[in-house]
Amino acid sequence: MIEIVAAFGIVVGGMVAASSGLGTRRPPAPPAPVESDPRDPIVLDVDLPCPWCLAPTTEADRRCPSCGQRFG
Ligand SMILES: [Zn+2]
């Protein structure tokens, strides 16, 4: 009986370890909005510079990623 419990514990432990290993995979964080690396692909999406601070913005931005001013 104790062998069964031990085997069950090993199986459950392995499943928990496997699932927790998958759980640690998180999607990549969004790029930092402060300064853009020249190699950063977000530069390709630059639409217009911010009218207040001239930071590069994208059409999808509802507010400046640099100074936080909302776009009309
Ligand atoms: Zn700005």
Side-chain angles (χ1 to χ4, degrees):
M1 180 59 185
I2 197 139
E3 292 87 354
I4 295 173
V5 173
F8 183 74
I10 290 170
V11 171
V12 171
M15 290 172 65
V16 170
S19 60
S20 65
L22 291 175
T24 56
R25 290 184 187 175
R26 292 190 294 179
V34 179
E35 51 187 4
S36 57
D37 189 288
R39 295 166 297 176
D40 194 324
I42 197 172
V43 174
L44 299 175
D45 296 327
V46 168
D47 183 24
L48 289 171
C50 171
W52 290 275
C53 70
L54 302 181
T57 66
T58 67
E59 197 166 6
D61 287 330
R62 296 198 172 186
R63 59 173 56 202
C64 176
S66 179
C67 70
Q69 285 280 358
R70 296 185 69 171
F71 299 146

